[in-house]
Amino acid sequence: MSTEYTRYSAKVLLEAADIQEKKGQDYNNAVSSVQQADYYPRGVTSILDIVNAKYLRMVSVLETMEQGGKVNFESIEDSAIDMINYASFIVAYMRGEVPGQNPANDIFNRKSDGNQALMPTKFTFLSNGAGLPKITGAGQ
């Protein structure tokens, strides 16, 4: 069953997912020992640091454009798609679904002290009948 999206913004999410898959093949390929979680030594906090850097770059570029300056390499659209993807990495990390993530560590990538509120959760998101895929947690 194919879903037809009527909002352009939903189509952007599909574009972001496609870019995420392609970049993932470059950055986390089978011949590399680097796993996605290795990029986030402080867990969710590391991902938020990256999102913040993307945001600041976007502000800088927009201010340059607003003042009539020339932007050479940085695209607002590319940075926004990167932010979408990093936001999805936050959700994946919070769910314990980032490749290489240590299941014994909390969402800050610290050895667990037993505080279950800080442990990544694994749960099942079932289709709401609107054609959304069924997504299940690891090991299910």
Side-chain angles (χ1 to χ4, degrees), residues 41-108:
R42 296 184 311 126
V44 172
T45 304
S46 292
I47 305 170
L48 285 173
D49 288 343
I50 296 167
V51 170
N52 184 54
K54 297 280 180 194
Y55 165 77
L56 292 172
R57 289 179 192 150
M58 290 174 70
V59 169
S60 179
V61 168
L62 285 171
E63 288 175 345
T64 300
M65 292 169 65
E66 188 174 39
Q67 297 302 316
K70 185 175 184 229
V71 177
N72 296 311
F73 301 106
E74 190 74 15
S75 159
I76 294 296
E77 291 89 353
D78 289 345
S79 293
I81 287 174
D82 282 347
M83 287 182 74
I84 290 167
N85 283 327
Y86 278 101
S88 75
F89 297 157
I90 292 169
V91 174
Y93 205 97
M94 296 294 291
R95 294 178 181 176
E97 297 292 340
V98 171
Q101 188 173 351
N102 185 338
N105 289 356
D106 67 13
I107 61 171
F108 303 107

